[in-house]
């Protein structure tokens, strides 16, 4: 059952986001890394290149937007991507096979899908979510060492996004928007881009996007 919802864009919700390729055969779902496989790194990451941290350096979420509810998260997403037709029904055709792995171990409390393949995950604890992603990536890298080099999730303080369109990524990581969670040990963006420490050792939040 789909829940149609008219998302009203307000000035308070002017946050940006990011995009990821559709990969429904991958049980782990789409990712920034998957969307960019085989692409040539770009010089711009969709940001002003100011770099540095604009937060307190301890929260692991410097300047990230907070939603509080799925409806608000969808409203934020709608400022940089199509987020019409929001649904929270796992049986909906818009839900990706395998997304059920993002459960209580990830601190995920609600999953939603909207627009053209955009998925939203509300979570209760940012550190738990980052820890779960880092653990999954460490396992995946045993077989694919370069897995996750471009990051995966776009993070807010209490929600994560996996879009299905690459242009969304460029919008998402502009100043005031979301940041990409990257836990690859070899990740090292060019100077001038953010590489803020996350709440989990070995992970960072960045606005660098390899287009």
């Amino acid at each position: 059952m789909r829940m149609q919802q008219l998302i009203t864009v307000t000035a308070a919700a002017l946050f940006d986001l990011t995009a990821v390729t559709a990969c429904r055969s991958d049980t782990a779902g789409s990712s920034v890394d998957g969307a960019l496989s085989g692409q040539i790194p770009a010089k711009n990451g969709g940001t002003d290149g100011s770099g540095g941290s604009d937060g307190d350096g301890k929260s692991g979420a410097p300047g990230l937007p907070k939603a509080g509810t799925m409806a608000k998260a969808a409203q934020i997403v709608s400022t940089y991507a199509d987020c019409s037709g929001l649904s929270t029904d796992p049986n909906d055709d818009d839900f990706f096979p395998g997304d059920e792995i993002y459960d209580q171990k990830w601190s995920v409390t609600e999953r939603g899908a909207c627009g053209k393949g955009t998925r939203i995950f509300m979570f209760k604890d940012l550190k738990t979510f980052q820890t779960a992603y880092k653990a999954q990536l460490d396992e995946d890298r045993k077989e694919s060492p370069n897995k996750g080099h471009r990051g995966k999730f776009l993070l807010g303080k209490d929600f994560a996004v996996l879009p299905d369109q690459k242009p969304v990524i460029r919008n998402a990581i502009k100043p005031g928007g979301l940041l990409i969670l990257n836990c690859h040990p070899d990740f090292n963006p060019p100077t001038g881009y953010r590489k803020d420490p996350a709440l989990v050792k070995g992970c960072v939040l960045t606005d660098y996007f390899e287009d």
Side-chain angles (χ1 to χ4, degrees), residues 2 81-86 94 113-118 165:
R2 292 179 61 84
D82 176 15
C83 199
S84 58
L86 176 66
D94 288 339
C114 66
K116 299 178 180 179
T118 295
Q165 298 180 45

Side-chain angles (χ1 to χ4, degrees), residues 179-199:
L179 292 176
I180 299 171
L181 175 63
N182 195 307
C183 298
H184 195 284
D186 296 332
F187 175 68
N188 188 30
T191 57
Y193 290 92
R194 293 176 63 164
K195 190 179 178 182
D196 301 333
L199 293 174

Side-chain angles (χ1 to χ4, degrees), residues 106-157:
W106 290 67
S107 188
V108 170
T109 58
E110 188 175 13
R111 292 185 285 125
C114 66
K116 299 178 180 179
T118 295
R119 297 124 78 195
I120 303 173
F121 306 87
M122 298 298 301
F123 52 77
K124 190 179 299 183
D125 184 76
L126 180 60
K127 185 174 182 179
T128 299
F129 188 89
Q130 293 178 0
T131 299
Y133 172 62
K134 175 70 162 53
Q136 182 194 60
L137 181 61
D138 288 345
E139 283 299 311
D140 291 344
R141 289 187 60 253
K142 291 178 181 178
E143 294 185 3
S144 302
N146 203 42
K147 182 82 170 182
H149 189 267
R150 294 178 175 89
K152 178 160 182 154
F153 292 96
L154 303 168
L155 288 189
K157 286 185 178 178

Side-chain angles (χ1 to χ4, degrees), residues 193-206:
Y193 290 92
R194 293 176 63 164
K195 190 179 178 182
D196 301 333
L199 293 174
V200 176
K201 185 177 180 180
C203 296
V204 298
L205 298 174
T206 183

Side-chain angles (χ1 to χ4, degrees), residues 28-49:
S30 298
S31 68
V32 173
D33 185 58
L36 304 175
S37 296
Q39 299 296 321
I40 299 174
K43 297 300 182 182
N44 70 37
T47 73
D48 61 0

